[in-house]
Amino acid sequence: MRRTVFNEDHEAFRATIRAFIEAEVVPVHDEWFAAGQAPRDFYYKLAELGVFGIRVPEEYGGAGIASHKFEAVIYEETARAGVTFGGSGVHVLLGLPYLQMLATDEQKKRFLPKFVSGEEMWALAMTEPGTGSDLAGMKSTAKLSEDGTHYVLNGAKTFITGGVHADRVIVCARTAAPREDDRRFGISLFAVDAKSAGYSVGRKLDKLGLRISDTAELAFVDVKVPVEDLLGEENKGFAYLGLNLASERWGIAFGAYAQAKAAVRFAKEYVQERTIFGKTVASFQNTKFELAACQAEVDAAEAVADRALEALDAGELTPAEAASAKLFCTEVAHRVIDRCLQLHGGYGFMNEYPIARLYADNRVNRIYGGTSEVMKSIIAKSMGL
């Protein structure tokens, strides 16, 4: 089947990204892996390449292209090369939609040029030590000062990807107590400056996978947040968080599909070179059948991911459709990557082989952005069950 989601512009961009990865990422990726993060300067290189400004309006220094397809190309090319761009993905996938959706004209003038240039890297802080999927149970508070000029932020967040290098963080905090009939009421969003007094970065978390993306704990002790840095209306933050879930879940789905596709590539190359009992591993019927089955699953995941991408760009991707795409693509990737690692034998367990790192990186896809179980609940509700 001929793929139609990308055009000549996307393929030209793909060539640029592939060359950039070969020149700027592959030679140092092992160093990043050992360090547990990409260097901050790398994000300036991504900015120079134009990666951060694709969907940002031209008046703020971006390209003004209202499409996620260029981001999709990046997902495919990083997976293909067995590398990542560190924690920069949340900058675009999670940070930008809230700025586009909620920022005032004055805020856009302040924030977006620095967003595009990489001068200010953004992250999103929702999860707290005691609250995961139950965001309505968050304890962080932001109380308006008596003179009405700023909020005083107190609390803690955890699992914040991009948290180590972040210059601005969209922090969710309670500005009012929940109502008896609505636990979600009272949450607001703030664009918090990481240089603020009382703002601190705690542990850089030691993760099973995605080791090059900096994930941290954050703490806020009497942090003064100017009222000008409130995003959207006060107490309506929970509703805002829901508006971006479709694009976030598409990103996870597409990334998982790209990982599965890369796993088949890695396994195919390995079995064609590896010999056992005087024959290549690729020559055994079991190998052929395993890779054929994996390829069929990848083909199906590609179709689902592409369909979701087209719907997202058209503004028609529903929460249930996004949940379905995430559930299907992440579960496919789980099965495919596991089978491809098995074909590597013992070498598949060694981090020097990209399949091993891919196996670890992929595992979180069925957890963050909403677990597979949550996705099933959303889909079932859309079915009237």
Side-chain angles (χ1 to χ4, degrees):
M1 293 179 288
R2 187 172 65 89
R3 197 177 187 194
T4 60
V5 70
F6 298 123
N7 61 29
E8 292 180 358
D9 290 338
H10 302 122
E11 296 307 327
F13 181 70
R14 184 187 303 280
T16 298
I17 290 295
R18 188 172 296 184
F20 175 82
I21 289 172
E22 288 299 318
E24 301 289 347
V25 182
V26 171
V28 293
H29 199 256
D30 286 346
E31 296 175 17
W32 296 358
F33 187 83
Q37 64 185 34
R40 179 64 175 81
D41 288 348
F42 173 66
Y43 299 144
Y44 287 112
K45 294 181 179 180
L46 288 176
E48 291 174 5
L49 195 63
V51 168
F52 298 152
I54 294 170
R55 289 191 288 114
V56 175
E58 293 182 30
E59 61 187 295
Y60 304 115
I65 301 173
S67 172
H68 290 77
K69 291 183 179 180
F70 292 93
E71 293 165 47
V73 169
I74 294 173
Y75 284 129
E76 290 187 334
E77 289 304 308
T78 51
R80 177 186 179 278
V83 303
T84 74
F85 282 172
S88 66
V90 300
H91 181 65
V92 175
L93 183 64
L94 300 185
L96 182 57
Y98 290 103
L99 296 180
Q100 292 177 316
M101 176 174 58
L102 302 175
T104 64
D105 289 341
E106 183 275 331
Q107 288 174 327
K108 289 178 179 178
K109 290 177 182 177
R110 279 196 292 134
F111 296 147
L112 287 179
K114 293 180 180 180
F115 180 99
V116 173
S117 69
E119 184 178 345
E120 284 190 349
M121 295 298 296
W122 288 68
L124 177 64
M126 295 189 291
T127 306
E128 297 185 358
T131 60
S133 297
D134 182 21
L135 292 177
M138 69 176 61
K139 303 298 182 183
S140 295
T141 61
K143 297 182 179 180
L144 188 63
S145 62
E146 292 185 1
D147 61 7
T149 62
H150 62 272
Y151 292 85
V152 180
L153 174 65
N154 285 280
K157 300 289 182 179
T158 192
F159 304 149
I160 310 307
T161 302
V164 173
H165 286 316
D167 303 289
R168 284 268 179 182
V169 179
I170 299 173
V171 178
C172 313
R174 283 208 163 274
T175 44
R179 294 171 175 166
E180 289 187 9
D181 62 340
D182 186 5
R183 293 177 62 242
R184 301 173 177 181
F185 174 81
I187 294 172
S188 301
L189 306 185
F190 300 91
V192 180
D193 188 341
K195 296 187 295 295
S196 302
Y199 178 109
S200 62
V201 178
R203 291 186 304 148
K204 183 172 74 68
L205 300 176
D206 185 14
K207 307 188 298 294
L208 169 67
L210 298 178
R211 298 185 65 86
I212 297 176
S213 68
D214 52 304
T215 301
E217 296 174 330
L218 304 180
F220 318 107
V221 179
D222 293 335
V223 176
K224 292 183 178 180
V225 183
V227 293
E228 293 82 9
D229 289 346
L230 171 70
L231 289 175
E233 295 184 40
E234 194 178 77
N235 300 326
K236 294 186 177 181
F238 197 96
Y240 298 145
L241 294 174
L243 294 175
N244 190 42
L245 283 176
S247 64
E248 178 183 353
R249 287 168 178 163
W250 163 80
I252 297 170
F254 204 97
Y257 139 70
Q259 289 177 324
K261 183 177 181 178
V264 172
R265 175 174 178 262
F266 297 147
K268 179 182 174 182
E269 291 176 350
Y270 179 81
V271 299
Q272 288 176 327
E273 296 175 359
R274 175 70 168 165
T275 59
I276 186 170
F277 305 127
K279 298 192 296 184
T280 65
V281 176
S283 67
F284 290 89
Q285 186 183 64
N286 179 70
T287 302
K288 296 176 182 179
F289 281 8
E290 283 292 282
L291 283 177
C294 287
Q295 184 61 55
E297 289 218 74
V298 168
D299 287 345
E302 180 179 86
V304 170
D306 284 357
R307 185 181 69 174
L309 173 55
E310 295 284 20
L312 179 64
D313 272 7
E316 298 172 355
L317 185 64
T318 69
E321 290 169 343
S324 178
K326 180 182 185 294
L327 176 66
F328 182 77
C329 292
T330 57
E331 293 292 339
V332 164
H334 163 65
R335 293 191 297 269
V336 167
I337 294 170
D338 183 74
R339 294 167 83 172
C340 288
L341 186 149
Q342 188 73 15
L343 289 172
H344 281 71
Y347 288 106
F349 205 64
M350 302 296 114
N351 274 325
E352 66 184 277
Y353 282 80
I355 192 69
R357 299 183 187 184
L358 194 59
Y359 183 87
D361 289 352
N362 170 75
R363 185 58 184 88
V364 76
N365 288 334
R366 292 182 289 147
I367 298 173
Y368 68 0
T371 64
S372 290
E373 291 73 24
V374 170
M375 298 303 100
K376 291 174 183 177
S377 296
I378 294 170
I379 297 165
K381 185 177 180 180
S382 74
M383 298 169 63
L385 299 175

